[in-house]
Amino acid sequence: MAVECAYPGWLSHAVEMVSPGCIFRRLTGLSCPGCGGTRAARALLAGDVWAACRLNFFLVPSVLMLLAEYVREAAAFIRRRPVHPGRTYIRIVQLYAGLAIAWFILRNVFGV
């Protein structure tokens, strides 16, 4: 506690020091859709949505999709029914995959 009070960003820096970084970027030189996601997640947790979008725009829809999936799974658990992916769910996953590919292209070809 005393260490965190003296230097509040110590945990973030400790995580960065032990993190291997993006292996895809190290091997190819290209940014994957998740590059900058750790920094964007930290900004999002700090409440700075705009900084998170600047660091990795794709993180915000990813978090929203994960939250929606969590709510769907929790509702199925409460109702004690198995979760079956319907057509709408499959379309959303396909849309998300398409967005990931589009983000990858925008990021690497156009430098967004």
Side-chain angles (χ1 to χ4, degrees):
M1 180 75 171
V3 173
E4 188 166 345
C5 290
Y7 184 56
W10 73 273
L11 183 60
S12 299
H13 293 292
V15 169
E16 283 181 14
M17 287 176 20
V18 298
S19 174
C22 182
I23 295 169
F24 182 81
R25 185 173 186 156
R26 190 175 294 160
L27 292 174
T28 65
L30 299 172
S31 296
C32 74
C35 280
T38 303
R39 290 173 287 150
R42 269 191 296 163
L44 199 58
L45 289 172
D48 195 353
V49 178
W50 297 117
C53 288
R54 280 192 315 271
L55 291 166
N56 187 336
F57 184 75
F58 197 63
L59 179 75
V60 176
S62 298
V63 168
L64 293 175
M65 187 164 175
L66 285 173
L67 285 174
E69 180 61 19
Y70 176 75
V71 168
R72 187 170 94 81
E73 293 278 340
F77 178 76
I78 290 170
R79 289 188 307 233
R80 295 187 176 145
R81 295 184 180 169
V83 178
H84 296 292
R87 275 193 210 125
T88 304
Y89 180 76
I90 292 171
R91 295 284 185 212
I92 290 171
V93 170
Q94 290 171 342
L95 175 66
Y96 183 77
L99 287 173
I101 293 168
W103 176 241
F104 177 76
I105 293 168
L106 283 172
R107 190 168 227 204
N108 291 296
V109 175
F110 300 107
V112 176

